Amino acid sequence: LALADIEDKIKAAEKAGELEVAAQEKQEALTGKIDLIDSLLISKGMDSRVGTTPFNRGFLAIPDSLTGVGAEFSAGVKQLVNKETVDFLINLKARGGTLGALSEKELDLLQGSVSKINSWEIKKDGIGTVKYDIIESAFRTELKQIQKLTRNALARARGETVFNAEEKSLLDKEFGMTSSTPAFSPNF
């Protein structure tokens, strides 16, 4: 082998290693987001931060202020909305899109477009109060939807299928796959 061929092989191996590290980091980030949503779904802080009236948001505010669970819940929600926004921007850039410097208003619009949660936040003088004007069941549904999309993204990042058994069966039937025909694997 010529020296140039060896250098090319070394560069290719380094690139493959970088891609493997990036894939691992992506999987860890997605797993972290799923774990964050799990913690939000069971948080007792939701009681004092989510509801359609001040009464059902504030009824538990006294114990909440002593324990800090409401503040912890709100920080988790903010973190989730910010993660969704950053993920959107990263995906946009990966597809070749670009955005210049974003104004505060543009960032708010972007955050509102990636999840309903930001639009539910109660604002006072244009500043978020980290309390949400929506019934808990709708808030939980939105969290579960984000979690479902994140689980699908994690499955794709791992090279797994995102189809349920019925969908997989229909696709196998449509494309003539049988139990003796090897299934498609992106790992080959």
Side-chain angles (χ1 to χ4, degrees), residues 88-145:
F88 175 82
L89 291 171
I90 289 170
N91 290 331
L92 178 66
K93 185 175 181 180
R95 291 189 310 257
T98 59
L99 295 175
L102 295 174
S103 70
E104 196 70 32
K105 185 171 184 162
E106 290 168 328
L107 183 60
D108 285 344
L109 285 170
L110 181 58
Q111 286 180 325
S113 72
V114 296
S115 169
K116 296 175 188 174
I117 293 173
N118 204 50
S119 65
W120 293 331
E121 186 176 19
I122 298 168
K123 308 250 191 283
K124 185 174 183 179
D125 298 326
I127 298 172
T129 62
V130 288
K131 292 183 180 181
Y132 302 90
D133 185 15
I134 192 70
I135 57 174
E136 276 191 33
S137 62
F139 198 90
R140 287 179 188 280
T141 298
E142 181 68 6
L143 288 175
K144 288 176 183 177
Q145 176 64 20

Side-chain angles (χ1 to χ4, degrees), residues 2 10 13-14 19 25 82 87 100 110 114 117 139 167 182-183 185:
I10 290 172
E14 288 173 348
L19 291 174
E25 288 174 351
N82 290 338
D87 288 350
L110 181 58
V114 296
I117 293 173
F139 198 90
E167 292 167 331
S185 174

Side-chain angles (χ1 to χ4, degrees), residues 151-186:
R151 285 185 196 280
N152 287 345
L154 180 59
R156 283 191 305 276
R158 290 179 175 162
E160 300 168 2
T161 182
V162 294
F163 301 112
N164 65 33
E166 182 182 345
E167 292 167 331
K168 189 171 181 332
S169 175
L170 287 170
L171 287 170
D172 286 348
K173 183 178 176 183
E174 182 66 30
F175 291 102
M177 301 298 287
T178 65
S179 59
S180 63
T181 307
F184 171 75
S185 174

